[in-house]
Amino acid sequence: MLLRHTTAAVAEREALTINPAKTCQPIGAMYAALGIHACLPHSHGSQGCCSYHRSTLTRHYKEPVMAGTSSFTEGSSVFGGQANLLQAIANIFSIYDPDVIAVHTTCLSETIGDDLVQIIAKAREEGSIPPGKMVIHTNTPSYAGSHVTGFSSMVKSMVGYFSEPSDTRSQTINIIPGWVEPSDMREIKRLAGLMGADAIVFPDTSDVLDAPQTGKHVFYPKGGVTMPALRRTGESAVTLALGPAASEAAAKALDVKCGVPCETMTLPIGLQATDRFIDAVRQYSGRGVPAIIEEERGRLIDVMTDMGQYLQGKRVALWGDPDQLVALSEFLVDLDMKPVYVVTGTPGKVFERRMEKALQGRVPEAQIRQGATADMFLMHQWIKQEPVDLLIGNTYGKYIARDEDIPFVRHGFPILDRVGHSYFPTVGYAGAIRLLEKFLDVFLDRRDRDDPEERFELVM
Amino acid sequence: MKPQETQKPAANSVLDQRKRQVVTKGDALFDIACETKSVAGSVSQRACVFCGSRVVLYPLADALHLVHGPIGCASYTWDIRGALSSGPQLHRMSFSTDLSEMDIILGGEKQLYRCLVELIDAYRPKAAFVYSTCIVGLIGDDVEAVCAQVSREKGLSVIPVFSEGFAGTKKDGYKAACDALGRLLGTGSTEGIVPHAINLLGEFNLAGETWLIKDYYRRMGVDVVATVTGDGRIDDIRRMHGAALNVVQCSGSVMHLAKRLKEQFGQPYIRVSYFGVEDTAKALYDVAEHFGDAAMMDRARALVREEVAALMPELMCIKKDLAGKRAAVYVGGSFKAFSLVRALRLLGMGTVLAGSQTGTKEDYRELEKICDPGTVIVDDTNPLELCAFLKEKGCDLLIGGVKERPIAHKLGLGFCDHNHERKKSLAGFVGMLNFAREVQATVMSPVWQFVPRPSGAAERTP
């Protein structure tokens, strides 16, 4: 029992996070920046931050993750990191030659008070930024928000640095996919494409963090949203922000800066959220929904009806990021399942209200917690008080799954011990079928393992 | 229009400022620059002070490890190293003071105090370590004072670890960890420790390696008092000064502690390595020699004979597959690189590139001595350089850590994790066989027939 010390009784903790359901901002900024083509993320802080983020992203994606660091020393912590960043920018352009350097700060450089705008201006003055190249930045103090906030801030910075106001409106739809997998971004582009929409998806990590084996290490893989595309986001007809926590800030900034109207939606995970997404794209693209998408939807509902009996009434505990949790919960309720415990370490105003809506009044016993002490330890204590039938969340759930012997489906970030998330989406109708398959697999495998011989069934 | 793959930098992949950190054996004057700060902007594979201290202390399984800072530092180091414990599992939990904006403004001392008290009450650990992160150094929390207060109130050792990330390199973190351990030295009773007793330093019990090594010594008639820190326990550290000898592996991480034990208690130390047949045998013989006990030496010889005889037939079979293949080695500590070069040679493989994140001048001279002419030796390299050299030299295998694995695979090279993500014991005689099997499996994998390899491609003959 790895978590043998966890007690069922919940003692209110004033401080202290045990087994967190979040991590810090900079890694989110790094992940978002990797969704720009030929961009080198840069961590303005100590060397360890960058190393940890790269290692974690590498463990999740099984891909090389490139990023620079200002390599702070004791000197920089006293005198500020300007000299380091100036040197870094010059070095990076001369050796690694990216199109964009996307700098994010850390708790260290934030507390020192480095002024990134001024430092970047100085780098330009000194001629270290070649013509046509860009250095962008975002502020990601680790002591505020979470990895989701950091992601959101970097996407917002993309708007701030690139999007250009325009007198004319194009037919293009901006889609901000939120912190989802490369596979999900690919699926979102496929769905938009099927509906004939001209879409700019940003950031876009497909073909970056799911790159094929080619016998070469490609420093900047072919994927990622390009600088020209980012500039054009300012003249698009609309922005669809998928998930308020990860995407809304950028969409609103784009509205303010360039007058592109925006709509914030639930991540298209599950039936209803995908319906709303498809409907929104349909409205703005002005074309109908093609039969192929109708059929995908039909197949999803077919699986829901065929296998519903194995899912009904199952109690589920979920943890992770707010946008995913809301979408998953809505889908679970549509499957007649009960998301009873929901925990996110990411702070934010609208989460609880959105969760309430997602539960559709059908899970009165649900316990929802967010913020500092909303962690895996609390989740485990709840489970000890009254168990659940299924766990859904990132890899860190495996301790609870093992100790309490509960079926476990991995979803979210990070997944350090399985593959598939990079390649198979969970958004869209096809993605929902994949989720269903995963739920059913863990439930039915369990029955095949645990049912007494006389109850063991061939057909299920 | 989709952008095309941008196959960037190639012409000159070594940063000007780094040129002295790369040398080739056979160069007229071998003078490598090392122990320097990384060049800003370089995609270095190095980590920070905090990382170094965490690596060393984390395997102490009955201690509480509280990370004082914002959440990231705790969550990225949550159970990521496979340092196994035969008993308590407290070290696998992640505890953080999770500092917020207000704590940064008002100071985090109260938060730290509350967290410590709550945790100690809940878990009753044998001792507690409090790791200072970057921000704590900056806002000036008096961690020492808070630790002392809680120590008094709760009656156990609460030890600050001064591991602010920016205050040096990973190596300085090792020193910070050793300083923290230093506070426990000499505080326990040495009663019952036999004359032929040693401590194992720098052995982290990855994949159960400490257990294996302990068993070898046990068979020689040597007791192990404490391991620093694989499967480690606080009470063992308190009495480790009672052992006759410190046997130090991974010298980078714990040498500081060994030196301190020598100064404070006159305890001698020897440096060893458990990677490869030659080095493991030497590690056993050196201990027997230290005790000057002929019977013990006989037992060691018998053990080595027996173990080597058991693995040689298969090793020779594997060697047939691997003879003439080329390897590159890039690891954290340089001492490991020596062993790997030797172990690879036993498999008939040459090493064309060898390097480490944190080697000293002395280490690199030693490395140069054992390498073949033409071997590139690098300090604190980065992916771009690494790729350029791997291509130029034509490799079949890269040995490295987490961040190097996908690079090797993208290039079409075999890969072996000789860092903390190893899944099988690579130490000792059994470890040599595991290592050989792993190298064979990856170098000769059928997958390579489907991908282009840069050069020196291994043809798998059916």
Side-chain angles (χ1 to χ4, degrees):
Chain A
M1 299 284 273
L2 285 165
L3 304 177
R4 64 185 77 141
H5 309 286
T6 305
T7 50
V10 179
E12 272 312 312
R13 280 173 281 152
E14 280 187 66
L16 180 63
T17 295
I18 307 177
N19 301 348
K22 64 168 177 181
T23 182
C24 67
Q25 287 208 51
I27 196 170
M30 189 181 282
Y31 178 57
L34 291 165
I36 302 175
H37 177 66
C39 173
L40 191 73
H42 182 86
S43 165
H44 187 51
S46 297
Q47 220 163 18
C49 308
C50 188
S51 172
Y52 282 136
H53 304 149
R54 288 176 58 210
S55 293
T56 305
L57 290 168
T58 289
R59 289 187 181 106
H60 179 89
Y61 293 105
K62 317 285 181 213
E63 287 289 306
V65 171
M66 296 300 131
T69 163
S70 293
S71 298
F72 270 43
T73 58
E74 255 163 334
S76 5
S77 76
V78 178
F79 305 114
Q82 169 166 315
N84 294 52
L85 187 51
L86 288 173
Q87 193 198 1
I89 290 172
N91 275 335
I92 288 171
F93 278 122
S94 73
I95 281 286
Y96 302 111
D97 193 28
D99 291 347
V100 182
I101 300 175
V103 185
H104 61 261
T105 56
T106 56
C107 47
L108 183 57
S109 53
E110 282 291 331
T111 310
I112 295 167
D114 279 347
D115 179 350
L116 275 274
V117 175
Q118 178 260 324
I119 298 175
I120 293 169
K122 194 165 162 64
R124 198 165 281 285
E125 239 168 69
E126 288 179 354
S128 332
I129 307 177
K133 308 274 180 169
M134 284 288 281
V135 177
I136 69 172
H137 92 282
T138 201
N139 296 90
T140 49
S142 323
Y143 44 75
S146 77
H147 58 295
V148 181
T149 325
F151 179 93
S152 160
S153 300
M154 182 51 89
V155 184
K156 186 179 167 193
S157 288
M158 292 176 198
V159 170
Y161 274 98
F162 292 110
S163 302
E164 289 175 355
S166 164
D167 298 332
T168 55
R169 284 272 155 256
S170 68
Q171 295 292 306
T172 304
I173 303 174
N174 299 325
I175 301 177
I176 308 181
W179 187 327
V180 291
E181 303 293 342
S183 53
D184 294 319
M185 298 190 187
R186 193 185 294 285
E187 176 69 357
I188 285 166
K189 287 192 290 187
R190 185 187 71 96
L191 289 171
L194 282 173
M195 285 191 289
D198 175 30
I200 299 174
V201 174
F202 74 98
D204 178 7
T205 58
S206 62
D207 288 322
V208 178
L209 290 170
D210 57 355
Q213 206 284 347
T214 56
K216 284 185 288 185
H217 171 230
V218 182
F219 209 84
Y220 304 111
K222 72 172 183 180
V225 62
T226 60
M227 278 203 279
L230 279 171
R231 290 197 189 97
R232 281 193 290 112
T233 55
E235 59 184 71
S236 294
V238 67
T239 304
L240 300 181
L242 307 185
S247 304
E248 191 172 62
K252 284 197 166 157
L254 193 49
D255 189 356
V256 170
K257 185 179 180 186
C258 305
V260 180
C262 64
E263 194 173 324
T264 303
M265 322 192 59
T266 310
L267 268 182
I269 294 174
L271 179 63
Q272 291 198 64
T274 304
D275 281 350
R276 294 195 292 270
F277 170 70
I278 295 292
D279 196 45
V281 177
R282 181 192 58 78
Q283 275 177 41
Y284 295 110
S285 70
R287 311 215 196 154
V289 177
I292 187 169
I293 292 181
E294 296 276 9
E295 285 157 11
E296 284 178 17
R297 182 176 191 274
R299 278 194 287 272
L300 168 60
I301 298 176
D302 199 48
V303 181
M304 287 167 72
T305 54
D306 287 343
M307 303 304 277
Q309 57 169 319
Y310 299 106
L311 303 170
Q312 280 153 5
K314 298 285 190 200
R315 290 163 53 85
V316 188
L318 310 92
W319 63 95
D321 303 340
D323 296 338
Q324 272 81 356
L325 294 173
V326 167
L328 281 169
S329 296
E330 187 185 29
F331 185 41
L332 291 172
V333 170
D334 289 341
L335 294 169
D336 206 8
M337 297 167 78
K338 293 185 183 305
V340 285
Y341 306 136
V342 185
V343 158
T344 180
T346 298
K349 289 182 196 117
V350 295
F351 176 65
E352 288 181 27
R353 205 176 65 234
R354 294 185 64 241
M355 270 307 301
E356 201 177 311
K357 203 172 157 203
L359 295 178
Q360 305 167 53
R362 286 164 59 187
V363 194
E365 67 270 44
Q367 299 203 65
I368 295 156
R369 188 77 73 89
Q370 74 174 134
T373 54
D375 50 30
M376 300 297 294
F377 183 77
L378 174 73
M379 168 73 79
H380 193 188
Q381 289 184 309
W382 283 347
I383 291 169
K384 276 184 179 294
Q385 286 172 18
E386 197 177 349
V388 293
D389 304 299
L390 175 67
L391 302 172
I392 304 175
N394 62 24
T395 286
Y396 293 112
K398 74 193 283 181
Y399 304 99
I400 300 177
R402 183 184 161 100
D403 274 13
E404 307 296 335
D405 195 21
I406 302 172
F408 174 30
V409 169
R410 286 163 180 77
H411 191 269
F413 179 88
I415 295 173
L416 308 172
D417 58 345
R418 293 291 189 276
V419 290
H421 45 277
S422 306
Y423 308 110
F424 306 107
T426 56
V427 300
Y429 301 119
I433 294 180
R434 176 161 184 262
L435 276 174
L436 270 176
E437 184 200 14
K438 285 188 160 252
F439 300 162
L440 288 162
D441 276 351
V442 294
F443 283 135
L444 299 181
D445 281 350
R446 176 67 50 127
R447 285 199 43 189
D448 287 344
R449 191 193 76 180
D450 294 347
D451 276 352
E453 282 185 2
E454 64 276 19
R455 294 261 170 210
F456 181 78
E457 286 184 278
L458 176 70
V459 181
M460 291 203 268
Chain B
M1 269 285 288
K2 275 310 290 179
Q4 286 310 298
E5 287 181 354
T6 331
Q7 182 61 56
K8 285 206 169 144
N12 180 2
S13 46
V14 181
L15 280 162
D16 281 343
Q17 296 101 312
R18 283 196 28 80
K19 285 206 167 125
R20 289 192 50 241
Q21 283 171 274
V22 180
V23 296
T24 304
K25 168 147 177 180
D27 282 358
L29 192 67
F30 187 90
D31 183 23
I32 195 166
C34 52
E35 295 186 274
T36 57
K37 310 275 184 223
S38 295
V39 177
S42 172
V43 181
S44 169
Q45 307 292 77
R46 275 182 182 170
C48 64
V49 180
F50 167 73
C51 176
S53 69
R54 199 81 168 102
V55 166
V56 171
L57 295 176
Y58 150 88
L60 287 165
D62 56 355
L64 181 82
H65 300 271
L66 174 62
V67 180
H68 185 34
I71 196 69
C73 302
S75 71
Y76 302 124
T77 53
W78 178 6
D79 202 16
I80 55 165
R81 302 176 74 91
L84 309 186
S85 163
S86 55
Q89 304 288 345
L90 193 56
H91 64 308
R92 304 184 69 170
M93 304 272 282
S94 173
F95 302 114
S96 169
T97 52
D98 194 2
L99 293 181
S100 67
E101 208 148 8
M102 285 314 284
D103 303 314
I104 305 304
I105 298 163
L106 303 173
E109 291 174 19
K110 278 190 186 143
Q111 177 89 339
L112 174 60
Y113 173 82
R114 281 199 301 257
C115 288
L116 274 172
V117 169
E118 281 180 30
L119 282 170
I120 289 167
D121 287 347
Y123 293 101
R124 302 267 153 219
K126 288 280 186 185
F129 293 98
V130 177
Y131 300 80
S132 291
T133 58
C134 286
I135 198 85
V136 171
L138 216 59
I139 61 178
D141 277 359
D142 192 344
V143 177
E144 178 87 62
V146 177
C147 288
Q149 188 190 347
V150 178
S151 221
R152 273 195 309 276
E153 291 175 15
K154 295 288 167 187
L156 85 168
S157 297
V158 181
I159 303 168
V161 186
F162 298 105
S163 52
E164 291 85 353
F166 58 81
T169 64
K170 191 167 169 182
K171 241 182 169 167
D172 298 287
Y174 298 150
K175 182 169 178 301
C178 290
D179 286 341
L181 286 174
R183 298 188 186 216
L184 293 168
L185 297 180
T187 56
S189 160
T190 57
E191 214 184 298
I193 295 178
V194 299
H196 289 167
I198 59 172
N199 300 310
L200 301 182
L201 273 68
E203 173 44 62
F204 296 107
N205 203 28
L206 301 173
E209 289 172 350
T210 303
W211 299 329
L212 199 76
I213 304 298
K214 264 183 158 173
D215 184 58
Y216 292 153
Y217 285 122
R218 189 191 51 76
R219 283 157 64 189
M220 286 167 54
V222 176
D223 263 16
V224 174
V225 178
T227 47
V228 178
T229 50
D231 199 14
R233 300 291 181 272
I234 295 298
D235 286 344
D236 294 342
I237 307 281
R238 290 187 189 280
R239 63 200 289 266
M240 69 184 289
H241 60 291
L245 176 68
N246 287 318
V247 181
V248 188
Q249 170 170 252
C250 185
S251 55
S253 64
V254 287
M255 209 46 191
H256 189 68
L257 188 73
K259 285 181 177 159
R260 185 163 172 170
L261 281 160
K262 187 170 183 190
E263 275 164 32
Q264 225 171 314
F265 304 98
Q267 221 174 3
Y269 63 81
I270 54 170
R271 283 171 72 162
V272 303
S273 163
Y274 302 111
F275 296 121
V277 169
E278 291 159 280
D279 288 13
T280 305
K282 187 165 186 306
L284 304 186
Y285 295 152
D286 285 357
V287 169
E289 201 158 289
H290 173 85
F291 286 115
D293 181 329
M296 185 189 288
M297 185 58 95
D298 287 343
R299 285 194 294 273
R301 288 211 178 95
L303 185 157
V304 171
R305 249 194 323 274
E306 187 186 326
E307 294 282 339
V308 172
L311 68 91
M312 267 313 175
E314 189 178 340
L315 214 54
M316 289 305 107
C317 258
I318 294 175
K319 188 177 174 176
K320 278 186 210 142
D321 272 352
L322 297 179
K325 300 273 186 284
R326 280 164 291 190
V329 174
Y330 186 68
V331 288
S334 50
F335 211 63
K336 185 159 43 183
F338 310 158
S339 296
L340 285 171
V341 172
R342 280 194 282 263
L344 288 163
R345 195 167 285 154
L346 186 63
L347 296 175
M349 294 179 71
T351 304
V352 294
L353 177 143
S356 77
Q357 293 171 19
T358 57
T360 63
K361 216 159 217 168
E362 191 188 322
D363 294 337
Y364 287 120
R365 275 208 197 95
E366 169 90 30
L367 190 56
E368 192 226 358
K369 243 184 262 164
I370 62 166
C371 283
D372 298 325
T375 304
V376 174
I377 295 176
V378 293
D379 175 63
D380 184 25
T381 190
N382 56 66
L384 199 60
E385 270 177 32
L386 201 57
C387 285
F389 287 125
L390 291 174
K391 266 190 217 160
E392 186 188 307
K393 293 283 171 183
C395 283
D396 303 281
L397 171 74
L398 174 64
I399 298 180
V402 186
K403 294 191 291 281
E404 289 85 28
R405 177 194 298 269
I407 296 175
H409 287 165
K410 282 284 187 278
L411 288 173
L413 306 182
F415 181 82
C416 169
D417 191 310
H418 214 287
N419 203 342
H420 54 270
E421 286 191 7
R422 72 184 70 150
K423 301 298 173 203
K424 279 193 184 140
S425 163
L426 297 179
F429 302 106
V430 175
M432 180 65 209
L433 190 54
N434 286 338
F435 175 68
R437 285 174 181 160
E438 200 175 321
V439 170
Q440 183 194 34
T442 185
V443 170
M444 305 305 290
S445 166
V447 75
W448 303 128
Q449 65 190 309
F450 307 112
V451 304
R453 303 185 78 172
S455 60
E459 291 293 327
R460 187 184 168 88
T461 39

